[in-house]
Amino acid sequence: MRSYNIAVIKGDGIGPEIVDEAIKVLAVVSKKVGFELSYKEYLMGGCAYEAVGTPIPDETIEGSRASDAVLFGSIGGYKWDDLPRELKPESGLLKLRKELGLFANLRPVAVFDELIEASSMKPEVIEGVDLLVVRELTGGIYFGEPRENDGQKAYNTMVYTKSEIQRIAKVAFDSAMKRGKKVCSVDKANVLEVSRLWRATVEEIALDYPEVELTHMFVDNAAMQLVRDPRQFDVILTGNIFGDILSDEASMMSGSIGLLPSSSVGGTVGLYEPIHGSAPDIAGQGIANPIATILSASMMLRYSLDEVKAADMIDRAIKEALHEGYRTPDLAKYHAKVVCSTSEMGEVIRRKIEEA
Ligand code: NAD
Ligand code: IPM
Ligand code: MN
């Protein structure tokens, strides 16, 4: 029987609650389709700091590298906000991305017809939205040196090398070829040197993709255009910090940040995680939406394990659950028939897979 080793990193806050639901869904779908998944759990984030004094022990990196794919929940929490940078939960995640060479973060944004009324945006604006944010993940201002805060003056540095821009641009153009053949590269080239290099390099890569229409947009305009007319976008190609911000903004078209999955690729192993964080304001209450994580597990099956049938079954089950009106509280403002907990939502999705 086909079998795969999955590194599981539950993390902090709602991380364990949502990853548990995803694993239970994977159990049902793998049995149904006929393959085996084995899991090894690793520590990262605040929980790792508490247990072993570092937000990412070496064995988390080694175990992830040795796996067929990594399934991750979320890290962070108020408790660890004032730690020195190297000890913060977020540093663990950034180190893992860097060590695994995950320079491309793909964040698809689609609107479920069933949830069109759940969004804070108007139905006629968001109906049919289907875009992909291709976010550079291991460079830019997140990683640039020098960086410093001496209490009187603080600075970070936004750095991109040409080769970093070339490789993320290729991911965006390759993605566009499989979708709507449009790339909108988002930068701040009217102000930043690094964006001028970004723009020139993206133009060069575009020459290899004559079928793809390339446009450029300044990030402030892009933030506005995303809520004015999101259907104009197919693939949004952008750097680390702009992609972080624009993808949270874009998530509200779908109705909740609890719906958006992501895959991080570029190295030998892919990492799959929801785009949201550890939601400390609702952690432990059993009300977090597990769908972003379950969809991340589906992306893992599709893109890292090539178990396309199983991924399709998960996606369909989620659609059916939403169609029948099941909603976690983040989506329950409008048209909820049944307001359910994290585990009840997982249970409904599993039942739909079993019945399929
Ligand atoms: P957040 O994404 O954790 O939460 C923002 C808001 O969205 C909160 O009101 C939260 O309750 C809600 N939310 C998020 N996910 C949800 C879900 N699945 N279901 C229902 N509601 C959900 O962002 P934040 O509050 O700015 O950050 C909290 C912590 O998470 C910080 O420590 C931050 O660094 C960390 N964080 C981690 C990741 C990650 O692990 N990849 C991503 C973003 C933020
Ligand atoms: C995300 C998060 C992370 C990021 C933080 C927690 C480091 O916001 O995955 O979107 O900024 O990349
Ligand atoms: Mn983010």
Side-chain angles (χ1 to χ4, degrees), residues 97 107 135 142 243-245 247-248 257 275-277:
R97 289 171 176 168
R107 299 185 158 187
R135 171 191 176 194
Y142 276 57
D244 181 43
I245 297 165
S247 54
D248 265 35
I257 195 167
I275 81 155
H276 61 71

Side-chain angles (χ1 to χ4, degrees), residues 109-112 125-131 229-231 233 250 253:
V109 182
V111 174
F112 289 98
V125 176
I126 56 171
E127 190 175 10
V129 162
D130 179 10
L131 61 88
D229 175 22
R231 275 190 300 264
F233 296 107
M253 291 166 211

Side-chain angles (χ1 to χ4, degrees), residues 109-112 115 118-119 250-257 259-260 331:
V109 182
V111 174
F112 289 98
L115 290 178
S119 172
S251 78
M252 279 322 291
M253 291 166 211
S254 74
S256 169
I257 195 167
L259 291 170
L260 256 65
L331 287 168

Side-chain angles (χ1 to χ4, degrees), residues 49-63:
Y49 171 75
E50 299 297 337
V52 292
T54 159
I56 183 151
D58 290 343
E59 61 172 28
T60 300
I61 297 169
E62 285 150 20

Side-chain angles (χ1 to χ4, degrees), residues 19-29 39 343 346-347 350:
V19 172
D20 283 346
E21 293 312 313
I23 288 178
K24 285 191 261 171
V25 167
L26 286 169
V28 172
V29 84
Y39 302 96
S343 59
E347 178 59 40
R350 289 193 287 283

Side-chain angles (χ1 to χ4, degrees), residues 60-73:
T60 300
I61 297 169
E62 285 150 20
S64 297
R65 201 175 270 135
S67 71
D68 292 313
V70 186
L71 183 62
F72 165 52

Side-chain angles (χ1 to χ4, degrees), residues 278-331:
S278 58
D281 54 337
I282 58 165
Q285 299 177 32
I287 57 169
N289 190 339
I291 292 181
T293 312
I294 297 173
L295 284 171
S296 301
S298 161
M299 289 182 89
M300 175 181 88
L301 294 173
R302 190 181 302 280
Y303 299 116
S304 277
L305 310 182
D306 207 21
E307 294 289 351
V308 176
K309 189 174 165 203
D312 286 344
M313 289 176 89
I314 294 179
D315 295 357
R316 200 175 317 120
I318 290 172
K319 233 176 136 46
E320 283 174 19
L322 294 173
H323 185 71
E324 288 177 18
Y326 292 96
R327 307 272 188 272
T328 42
D330 52 313
L331 287 168

